[in-house]
Amino acid sequence: SRDITFFCFNTSHRIYRYSQLLSMNPDQLSYSNASNAAISTAFPMIITVAEPLKEFDGTKDAFISYLITTKTTLDAFSSPTVSVRRRFQDFVWLHNSLSRDFAACVVPPLPDRHRMEYITGDRFGPEFVEKRRASLQRFLARLSRHPTLQKSEYFRLFLESREWNRESALYRQKKPGDGVFENLGDALLNAFSKLKKPDEKFIEIKESVDKLEENLQTIDRLYQRIIKRQTDLEADYRDFGSSISRLGQLETGITAPLEQFGDTISKFADAWKRMTYREENGYSAQIRDYLSYCHCVKNVLKLRDQNQVDFEDLSEYLQNALMERENLINTGKSSTGISSFLRETVDNIKGVDQEQVKKERLQKLDAKIAELKKEVENSNDVSDQFSLEVAKEYEIFQTAKTIEMKDCLLAYADSHVEFYRQGIELWEEIIPALEDIKFQA
């Protein structure tokens, strides 16, 4: 069994850390006010990530920086429009800082530098850079729509600091982050603990996110098949156009119309390629980004469960301590079994005053019970507040999902409308040339 002192120290430390991450004192937590359940509204923000630029070209320290332009009415910003340049590592700093200090928030994911869709050649190549730029734009857009994260000092610093290296370094010194041993302790303490009273609301949230994730995976899998078909069709149209052009070289009477027809088919294949590229870098990439977003929601749900496990385990230890105290008062023994018998035998041999021993044990138990009661109360407050925050985060996630899916589907529809518009123009242009073909008797 785990040592009670070690357990209480580590659990109370985690509870204090959670309360700090919630920016609240555990003695001042309040969640009974119904207005706390309302989701605050984010201020309008427009953020663009553009103009990727390769810096320190030709050296091993080369990197891509992006021009980030922010338009906002937030008072914390020095100007309604600000522009700065940031590299990918700066985005990593922002993500890590927010994840560390806003544990109850669903911090959107960053594009993983090792994701397979990015490993398509040179990391400085245009396709890689464009995919990353689009994902970074989605990351900042999600932060800008979050009513808590958009007001964080980290976000403001990232979006407008003119002395970025110096100021971000100062924040690294002030906020060193959690140590590896602390995280390891958390994992070990909760490795074999399970919720005794799961909350149905969060079970439903978890199931909802699981279903969303499953559906997104199915959509992604099916869309990859569509992408392959479109890529194959593009190649077939190019072969078809080349064949028509070669046929025109043989049919001397209609060489020009046939070559023009073959050229039209090649242009139609180009339209296929543009549509496929636009969808793959927009629609398909957004689906995969949202799969990562789902994973972030599930991580916060796991952290909420860990808070509840802390409360339940502390409550169990408190009940054990109360039972031990009651047993000591009624029987004069704090426990039963061989260990208690041996201890009592040794005390009798030594001539120990059993009443004095009982009194001292009661004093120690009373002190332990008082400490446990305080920790249980704090744990309950933090767990409830954390749960409330996570419930609000899920609503924010749901709102973001609706907005992004709407934009995603509109972009998909627009790409097809544009493709067919170009196709109509191409085929209408070739009709007069085909109608001018004369039959020879």
Side-chain angles (χ1 to χ4, degrees), residues 33 69 86 106 108 122 132 140 155 173 205 224 230 242 249 260 266 293 361 364 371 396 425:
N33 191 336
T69 302
R86 297 288 183 259
V106 179
D122 183 8
R132 174 166 283 182
L140 293 182
F155 199 37
Q173 294 172 7
I205 290 176
Q224 294 313 306
Q230 291 183 180
S242 297
Q249 296 172 4
Q260 190 174 349
S266 295
Y293 207 176
R361 288 179 181 171
K364 291 180 180 180
E371 180 184 1
I396 293 171
E425 290 179 356

Side-chain angles (χ1 to χ4, degrees), residues 207-348:
E207 291 175 349
S208 175
V209 176
D210 285 340
K211 289 178 182 177
L212 173 62
E213 194 173 35
E214 182 181 347
N215 287 332
L216 289 174
Q217 288 171 344
T218 300
I219 290 172
D220 182 51
R221 184 171 61 254
L222 291 172
Y223 190 70
Q224 294 313 306
R225 289 165 56 183
I226 293 173
I227 287 289
K228 185 179 183 306
R229 285 181 193 155
Q230 291 183 180
T231 303
D232 291 343
L233 271 172
E234 176 204 334
D236 289 341
Y237 271 111
R238 292 193 188 281
D239 290 342
F240 181 43
S242 297
S243 298
I244 294 293
S245 297
R246 288 195 297 271
L247 179 62
Q249 296 172 4
L250 299 175
E251 301 294 330
T252 55
I254 53 173
T255 298
L258 288 178
E259 288 181 345
Q260 190 174 349
F261 189 83
D263 183 60
T264 297
I265 294 174
S266 295
K267 290 178 179 178
F268 188 65
D270 291 338
W272 269 110
K273 183 177 182 179
R274 286 191 296 270
M275 181 180 68
T276 301
Y277 178 82
R278 183 175 174 182
E279 291 174 3
E280 192 172 12
N281 289 276
Y283 181 76
S284 181
Q286 281 185 271
I287 293 296
R288 296 184 180 187
D289 275 356
Y290 226 85
L291 282 168
S292 298
Y293 207 176
C294 290
H295 186 68
C296 293
V297 177
K298 291 163 76 171
N299 283 340
V300 173
L301 289 171
K302 288 178 183 177
L303 191 55
R304 191 217 72 86
D305 288 349
Q306 182 173 299
N307 274 287
Q308 187 176 336
V309 166
D310 288 340
F311 167 69
E312 291 177 348
D313 284 353
L314 274 172
S315 298
E316 183 178 345
Y317 274 99
L318 174 60
Q319 291 303 315
N320 290 340
L322 290 170
M323 290 174 61
E324 185 178 356
R325 183 179 183 277
E326 183 179 355
N327 191 50
L328 181 60
I329 292 174
N330 294 334
T331 66
K333 301 177 183 179
S334 59
S335 59
T336 58
I338 295 177
S339 60
S340 177
F341 172 77
L342 291 175
R343 188 188 309 114
E344 185 176 344
T345 301
V346 171
D347 287 345
N348 288 332

